[in-house]
Amino acid sequence: MARPITSITIVGGGTAGWLAATLLRSKVGSRVKITLIESPNVPTVGVGEATVPHMPVTVRDMGIDEQEFFRRCNASFKMGVMFRGWNVDHKGRPIDYMNPFATAPQLNGLDIGYHFRAYGAGKRDYIQSFSPLIDLLDACKCPIAFNGKDDPMPKAGYAYHLDAGKFAGLLAETGRARGVEHILADVDDVELDERGFVAALHLHDHGRHPVDLVIDCTGFKGLVIRGALGEPFEDYSDYLANDRAMALPIPHQDPMKLPAATSSTALGAGWVWNVPLFNRVGTGYVFSSAHRTDDQARDEFLAHLGPRAPEDAEPRVIPIRVGRSRRAWVKNCIALGLSGGFIEPLESTAIHMIDMGLRWLLSYFPDSDYDEATIRRYNAVSDSMFNEVRDFICLHYLMGNRTDDPYWIDARTQLKVPDRLAENLDIWKRRLPGPLDLQTVHLFGHQTFTAVLLGKRVYEQGFGAPEFFPPQGLSEKPWKEFLKQTAARNLATVKHKADHRMMLLALRGELKPGQKAATLPGVAPGKEDMAGEPMLF
């Protein structure tokens, strides 16, 4: 007879391991023992300095006070991602656009993208036609206000930028305080039983550690899922060319002005991320080794940073393996984080995919029988999440129009296009993305795809078919009234929301009553921030 699972062993620390330990500890109760085993000899590479809007829920679910989180992790607010220079207009000038944490409304039963495409919005771009987020970003405001009364946008969605190393430390401290057993030891061997299940881990200087359910958080190595269980790796390099990254922390240009958004700036053979934390900026270059050597990429990256780069800066180069384990759950092992798979960090999905993997585990929590139907369902859900993220990332490259470097031409002509995305693009030549077009919406709904297409201005560049679907009910008069109303609301929202840095100081407990931003000292990275492990994922 099947018995309940009474212990979970997590192999690997860092953000992936400690997020698994701490979130599961908060959910499964005392009936399940949780042990985390991490090597004392493997440097930690964080799983992300930027997150998506579900992250505040996860922080609350773990019982971590949000103000403590902001202080301990040098966190800041994130309202979306600004894309800079991924496309150019008809005069060759770079286009900037935002993938926002906001949902476009409908007008007369139609997605407003149809009105925007037909009539435009004057000097406002698509996002500004319905949301104040870009205006808030330009004003260095954040998505919340000191006085919530009369806030024109009280339910603004947001995510976080965070220091991944400090976040992992906070999670570890929280997990250990709540009973997670922590063992510092290398895994010398993985013992399998007669069924091929993981029976035990043999730990250096700690002996045999029996295993019930094991979660592999050992990074790209995949010590258990691939090393011991032999699960094949499904390579995504046919779809996505970037296989290298280099990371570097830099000071703020102006510590008094903190943008509440991640930015992604296109360079010659990839893109540079910019993650504005409270005390520093995390930055790095994701690129294709087929188009740049490490030395060439370093020179290009440092030239882009210019005087912002620290003196004698030497970015750390990080190989990237894009793809996933064919199955995330094999026998009694579930792979999370980089061991489960990785799709480049363009939309900050890595931490979210760990989070979702844990929540799916709670939904399909096994007993000792490990029935195949449950495992198949978990793997199907995990597979659909990876496919959804892969398709959305591919869209950014496929719909680019730059011709200044072979990299950008190859990105839209030489890479494989996922079947579902190719089918949708044929549809989207004639109509905007709709809710029936997507197989899953784990994270990116049809309006997010619309934001990319309209942000890149692809229909202005000849993407749409001549017979683009003219929906019934499309009228310019209500659209003009809508734009008038949103312009007033956007202006009122910007006035009402708090200065980003002032709000962070208040959340950290560092803002004195009546103190003004101009009287506060500037913030620069300390020695530990500049010298520590650069965090990419």
Side-chain angles (χ1 to χ4, degrees):
M1 182 178 294
R3 59 174 179 80
I5 297 297
T6 58
S7 69
I8 300 172
T9 299
I10 300 163
V11 186
T15 307
W18 283 110
L19 179 60
T22 306
L23 184 58
L24 289 174
R25 178 74 290 152
S26 71
K27 294 294 186 181
V28 299
S30 58
R31 60 187 171 84
V32 179
K33 179 181 178 181
I34 299 176
T35 303
L36 186 143
I37 300 167
E38 66 177 322
S39 170
N41 303 310
V42 176
T44 298
V45 177
V47 295
E49 286 192 347
T51 60
V52 299
H54 192 261
M55 196 64 196
V57 175
T58 301
V59 169
R60 290 194 295 270
D61 281 352
M62 292 186 290
I64 296 174
D65 179 75
E66 191 176 41
Q67 290 186 249
E68 177 75 357
F69 164 79
F70 271 100
R71 184 181 65 82
R72 292 283 299 275
C73 301
N74 283 320
S76 64
F77 286 100
K78 175 184 174 183
M79 302 184 295
V81 182
M82 283 298 303
F83 288 84
R84 305 189 187 279
W86 280 68
N87 284 60
V88 296
D89 65 14
H90 64 284
K91 293 184 178 181
R93 296 172 299 196
I95 293 171
D96 293 346
Y97 68 93
M98 187 184 213
N99 178 11
F101 297 156
T103 301
Q106 289 193 330
L107 181 61
N108 292 341
L110 294 172
D111 285 352
I112 63 164
Y114 283 109
H115 294 83
F116 179 84
R117 185 183 181 278
Y119 307 118
K123 294 183 178 180
R124 287 190 274 171
D125 73 359
Y126 172 60
I127 303 305
Q128 289 174 305
S129 74
F130 69 88
S131 169
L133 293 187
I134 292 179
D135 302 297
L136 288 170
L137 178 63
D138 291 342
C140 293
K141 295 293 188 79
C142 73
I144 63 175
F146 282 114
N147 179 8
K149 186 179 179 181
D150 301 324
D151 188 343
M153 192 175 69
K155 296 182 179 180
Y158 62 83
Y160 306 121
H161 304 118
L162 55 88
D163 183 314
K166 294 184 184 299
F167 183 50
L170 175 61
L171 292 174
E173 180 183 310
T174 304
R176 287 192 296 261
R178 296 176 185 172
V180 174
E181 182 183 10
H182 183 204
I183 300 174
L184 281 171
D186 286 315
V187 177
D188 290 337
D189 189 31
V190 179
E191 176 188 332
L192 304 182
D193 65 16
E194 66 280 358
R195 302 175 298 167
F197 281 56
V198 178
L201 305 172
H202 293 265
L203 308 181
H204 193 71
D205 292 334
H206 284 73
R208 186 178 185 272
H209 176 86
V211 163
D212 207 347
L213 171 66
V214 60
I215 299 177
D216 186 342
C217 296
T218 60
F220 286 123
K221 184 178 182 180
L223 176 70
V224 183
I225 194 78
R226 287 193 289 278
L229 297 178
E231 184 64 12
F233 181 79
E234 188 171 304
D235 196 325
Y236 280 0
S237 61
D238 287 345
Y239 299 98
L240 296 163
N242 294 338
D243 58 356
R244 305 283 278 178
M246 51 183 58
L248 189 70
I250 61 175
H252 285 288
Q253 280 186 290
D254 183 350
M256 310 303 289
K257 297 178 179 179
L258 294 182
T262 309
S263 69
S264 168
T265 303
L267 289 192
W271 55 275
V272 169
W273 78 84
N274 228 54
V275 177
L277 304 179
F278 174 75
N279 64 322
R280 66 169 171 87
V281 177
T283 188
Y285 186 17
V286 180
F287 64 97
S288 162
S289 64
H291 297 83
R292 295 290 190 277
T293 66
D294 288 351
D295 288 343
Q296 290 170 334
R298 182 195 63 230
D299 292 345
E300 188 174 26
F301 178 40
L302 294 178
H304 165 76
L305 294 178
R308 291 178 292 169
E311 189 176 350
D312 301 323
E314 190 58 41
R316 176 188 172 194
V317 177
I318 306 169
I320 297 175
R321 192 180 189 192
V322 180
R324 61 182 174 88
S325 292
R326 185 181 61 186
R327 293 175 295 172
W329 185 341
V330 179
K331 307 291 186 180
N332 61 335
C333 173
I334 295 174
L336 292 176
L338 301 180
S339 62
F342 181 70
I343 300 173
E344 66 167 75
L346 186 62
E347 290 284 355
S348 313
T349 56
I351 291 179
H352 183 71
M353 295 174 85
I354 298 167
D355 189 353
M356 292 300 101
L358 292 166
R359 294 175 188 275
W360 299 332
L361 170 59
L362 292 167
S363 295
Y364 296 111
F365 203 80
D367 57 28
S368 62
D369 276 350
Y370 288 98
D371 68 282
E372 285 298 324
T374 296
I375 295 175
R376 282 195 302 270
R377 177 56 54 85
Y378 181 99
N379 284 329
V381 175
S382 179
D383 181 69
S384 68
M385 175 73 160
F386 270 96
N387 289 339
E388 178 183 314
V389 173
R390 179 201 61 196
D391 289 6
F392 186 59
I393 300 299
C394 286
L395 177 75
H396 293 71
Y397 294 97
L398 187 62
M399 301 309 292
N401 67 347
R402 289 178 54 154
T403 59
D404 56 311
D405 193 282
Y407 168 84
W408 293 101
I409 298 172
D410 291 346
R412 61 179 176 272
T413 63
Q414 301 302 312
L415 294 176
K416 186 177 179 181
V417 181
D419 292 342
R420 184 70 178 190
L421 178 59
E423 293 171 2
N424 277 330
L425 287 172
D426 282 341
I427 296 293
W428 297 341
K429 289 179 181 178
R430 292 166 174 81
R431 65 194 71 222
L432 293 177
L436 301 180
D437 297 339
L438 305 176
Q439 291 177 310
T440 62
V441 184
H442 294 294
L443 186 57
F444 303 118
H446 74 280
Q447 292 189 339
T448 313
F449 283 82
T450 298
V452 174
L453 295 177
L454 294 181
K456 285 176 171 286
R457 306 183 197 173
V458 298
Y459 295 105
E460 299 174 24
Q461 307 292 335
F463 170 69
E467 61 276 21
F468 192 90
F469 172 61
Q472 294 181 355
L474 197 64
S475 174
E476 188 172 11
K477 184 177 180 179
W479 173 241
K480 285 184 175 180
E481 180 61 27
F482 174 84
L483 290 177
K484 182 179 178 181
Q485 293 172 359
T486 57
R489 188 178 69 245
N490 288 0
L491 182 62
T493 301
V494 173
K495 287 182 178 179
H496 198 84
K497 296 296 186 182
D499 175 83
H500 190 194
R501 183 165 180 267
M502 291 285 282
M503 178 57 74
L504 294 180
L505 287 165
L507 289 171
R508 294 165 62 93
E510 298 172 9
L511 184 65
K512 297 178 182 179
Q515 194 168 20
K516 303 296 184 182
T519 68
L520 295 162
V523 177
K527 291 182 179 179
E528 72 279 4
D529 297 301
M530 298 302 292
E533 289 288 337
M535 299 294 175
L536 169 61
F537 308 115

